[in-house]
Structure formats: C-alpha cells, structure tokens
Amino acid sequence: MLNVRRLLLLTEAAERGSLTAAAEALGMTTSAASQQMSQLEREAGQPLVERLPRGIRTTPAGAALAERGQTIRRELRAAEADLDAFTDLGQGTLRLGSFPTASASLLPLALTRFSRRYPGVRTVVRAGVLDQLREMLHTGEVEKALLWDYEWNRVNDDALALTHLLDDPTVLVVPADSPLRTLPSLRLSDLADQEWITRADNHPVADVLRRSCHRAGFEPRIAYASHDYQEAQAMVAAGLGIALAPRLALTSRRSDVRLLPFGSDVPAPTRRILLARAASREATPPAHAMAAILRTVAQKFTGADLDRTQLGAVRRGGNGRA
C-alpha cells in the first residue's frame, strides 16, 4: 500500500513544480523529501517525477497519482475540520438519559441553554426508570444520564462515574386552606390520623410514604392512588387527603395547594439527583459542556432559590415518575 504522507509530498511537488518548495510546505528538509520521493517511486515500481535543472516534472504515472493525492488531501482536511468542529462543539450528537421529574424541571432549562450556546449539536433524550437508565449507560445508548437515589437504594456501581447535582427533600402537599399550615413545626407523627394520596404502580414515592410513616410510628391510610403528580395535587386540592412528594416534582405547583417543609429532625427522606456516565468512557466535548450547564442549572433548584418561589406563600399565608 502506498504511503499517504509520501503521496501528499508528490501532490505538493506536482503543484509547486519543485521538490524543495513541497518540502517547505510540509515542514521537511529537501534531503528528506528527496529520500521520501525515491521511496515512493520504489513503492510504485516506476518513476513518478523527472528531475530538471530547475524543479521537477511529473511523469504520466506521477500526474495520475498526484491527482489522487489531491482528493485524499481534501478528505483529510475535511476529517480534521470534522474533529475541530466536535472539539469546538460545532456539530455532533449528545445522547442523554433522564427520568420524568428531572425532565419536567431542571432538564428543559439546561437543554435550552445548551441549544443556544451550541446550535450545531443535536441532542437526543431517552427516558426511563432507574434500572433502565443504568442499562442505557452501560450499553452506550446514552452518554450521560440523570439518576436519583435514596439512602436505602444508593447507586453503588463502580462502572459509573457519578456527580452529585443537588439534594431533593420530601415535602408535604396540603390544600391551600389546610390548618396544617399554621403548625409551628411540622412532624410526621402529627399526621397519623390523616388520609393520604399516594402514587400507584409501586412508584418510588409510595415507598417513601410507607417508609416515612412507619418510621414515625403509624400505617398511612390511603385514600387515592394517583398516576402522576398533577393528579395527586388535584386530589389534595379537592380535600381527599394530603401527600408526600419530592420538591423537584412540584415545580409546576397548583395555586390551590401548598407545600410544607419538614423539620430537619423529621424522618422524611431526601433523595439525591445525580449525573452519571460510564466510567470506562471519556466524555465528549458536548457531554462536558452539558454537565457544566446542568451543575449551574441545579443551583436554581436547591434550597433558598426554590424555597422562595414555592414555599414563600406558606410563610406569608397567601395564595399563590420519580
């Protein structure tokens, strides 16, 4: 097989009419260029250039090879441009995994920021439950995925590299006029006689409710099993019961319900929101960029920022799947 670098040398020499000029263009010495040209002729099995008193002239075989070399050079330059574009986030595809709560809260803001900064990069999002998202990471179907865990189901997987984005505490959802809003300190043990709205189909938040109530010393009385958080809020607003939910799941809060935070000494769990990638694969530039954006966006959904927008009405007494 012909050596590509030597073929490019022949192409430059044919265009410039000089082996010395071709050597200069390729960062070689004239002596090295002459040796490389002689080697290329041995590979080709025939002369490719004629040495003239001033410069060179290609033979018919050399001219044919030089024309091929122009095509190869164009393709190599295009390949380099492609790599530069990926490095500069000019194009490519970013494959993400997510779960419903994240897809309805922090991910849209991150996607909007990413697309504005890097309009040439196509983004694909795959949704799933925790086990499905982990499998997508292992198989390479997604490059990064948003995951969640509680203290009793930590994502302990050596094959994954994890970044902790934020803590998502459990809050109590009550009707807007609920007398529970006036309690100076909210404790789960005070809610033993309440009816509860839970999630159907063995949803993780149903497990959170059972575990939390058991730790507080009672069995929750279930009045309704909802299939999404909007439905759960509607049932709470109708007075059918109260509910537990991760705060991040309620960024679209109804005006006729209120969110009440628990005290730090109350056994109401906090889940972690994580960004994960396969530890064996280096992240691409688009994935690095998205990770940085997600870390910034996550700050808007933590602590004081979210408290001011969602829990502030509680303090003022005004209106206002995983």
Side-chain angles (χ1 to χ4, degrees), residues 178-251:
S178 171
L180 292 173
R181 295 190 312 146
T182 63
L183 292 178
S185 178
L186 187 63
R187 301 181 62 84
L188 267 170
S189 57
D190 298 329
L191 307 175
D193 60 345
Q194 297 285 329
E195 298 286 338
W196 292 87
I197 311 300
T198 189
R199 291 293 301 270
D201 305 323
N202 296 314
H203 190 276
V205 81
D207 188 30
V208 170
L209 176 63
R210 287 191 299 269
R211 289 174 179 270
S212 299
C213 293
H214 290 169
R215 289 175 65 182
F218 67 94
E219 184 70 31
R221 298 203 308 265
I222 307 301
Y224 189 81
S226 68
H227 291 275
D228 61 53
Y229 288 111
Q230 284 299 110
E231 183 185 8
Q233 289 187 68
M235 293 299 102
V236 170
L240 196 61
I242 60 177
L244 291 184
R247 189 175 56 185
L248 200 62
L250 301 169
T251 51

Side-chain angles (χ1 to χ4, degrees), residues 22-317:
E24 251 181 70
L26 296 176
M28 305 170 62
T29 65
T30 302
S31 174
S34 179
Q35 293 175 10
Q36 291 295 309
M37 185 61 68
S38 296
Q39 181 62 33
L40 180 62
E41 289 179 318
R42 284 194 290 272
E43 291 173 351
Q46 57 187 300
L48 300 175
V49 296
E50 296 175 7
R51 272 76 171 179
L52 304 174
R54 297 180 62 130
I56 59 99
R57 178 174 60 208
T58 56
T59 65
L65 274 185
E67 186 175 348
R68 295 285 188 183
Q70 290 174 343
T71 301
I72 292 171
R73 185 177 59 192
R74 281 195 300 270
E75 289 300 316
L76 287 173
R77 287 174 176 171
E80 289 173 351
D82 284 347
L83 289 175
D84 289 341
F86 280 110
T87 301
D88 295 337
L89 293 164
Q91 64 183 57
T93 299
L94 174 62
R95 301 181 311 280
L96 298 173
S98 184
F99 58 96
T101 299
S103 296
S105 55
L106 63 94
L107 186 57
L109 180 55
L111 290 172
T112 299
R113 291 187 178 186
F114 185 86
S115 64
R116 286 175 180 168
R117 294 180 191 177
Y118 313 110
V121 179
R122 176 173 176 257
T123 305
V124 177
V125 181
R126 300 279 183 254
V129 297
L130 188 60
D131 288 342
Q132 291 172 332
L133 293 169
R134 291 170 68 170
E135 182 64 19
M136 290 179 199
L137 285 166
H138 292 318
T139 61
E141 183 178 348
V142 298
E143 186 173 0
K144 283 186 178 285
L146 289 161
L147 308 179
W148 57 267
D149 68 11
Y150 286 100
E151 60 181 356
W152 60 84
N153 71 333
R154 292 298 188 211
V155 179
N156 292 319
D157 190 337
D158 292 338
L160 298 180
L162 303 175
T163 299
H164 178 205
L165 292 179
L166 71 151
D167 288 325
D168 188 18
T170 298
V171 296
L172 184 69
V173 188
V174 302
D177 58 354
S178 171
L180 292 173
R181 295 190 312 146
T182 63
L183 292 178
S185 178
L186 187 63
R187 301 181 62 84
L188 267 170
S189 57
D190 298 329
L191 307 175
D193 60 345
Q194 297 285 329
E195 298 286 338
W196 292 87
I197 311 300
T198 189
R199 291 293 301 270
D201 305 323
N202 296 314
H203 190 276
V205 81
D207 188 30
V208 170
L209 176 63
R210 287 191 299 269
R211 289 174 179 270
S212 299
C213 293
H214 290 169
R215 289 175 65 182
F218 67 94
E219 184 70 31
R221 298 203 308 265
I222 307 301
Y224 189 81
S226 68
H227 291 275
D228 61 53
Y229 288 111
Q230 284 299 110
E231 183 185 8
Q233 289 187 68
M235 293 299 102
V236 170
L240 196 61
I242 60 177
L244 291 184
R247 189 175 56 185
L248 200 62
L250 301 169
T251 51
S252 297
R253 178 178 61 82
R254 292 173 58 104
S255 62
D256 49 6
V257 301
R258 295 291 178 266
L259 311 184
L260 305 183
F262 290 99
S264 59
D265 60 335
V266 176
T270 292
R271 68 176 179 175
R272 299 188 305 172
I273 306 299
L274 309 166
L275 182 62
R277 67 171 176 82
S280 61
R281 302 186 189 97
E282 285 298 319
T284 62
H288 273 304
M290 176 56 84
I293 290 173
L294 279 167
R295 287 193 296 270
T296 300
V297 168
Q299 296 175 9
K300 295 184 173 294
F301 291 86
T302 59
D305 285 342
L306 202 59
D307 287 343
R308 280 194 295 270
T309 57
Q310 294 195 15
L311 303 179
V314 174
R315 304 303 185 197
R316 295 190 300 270

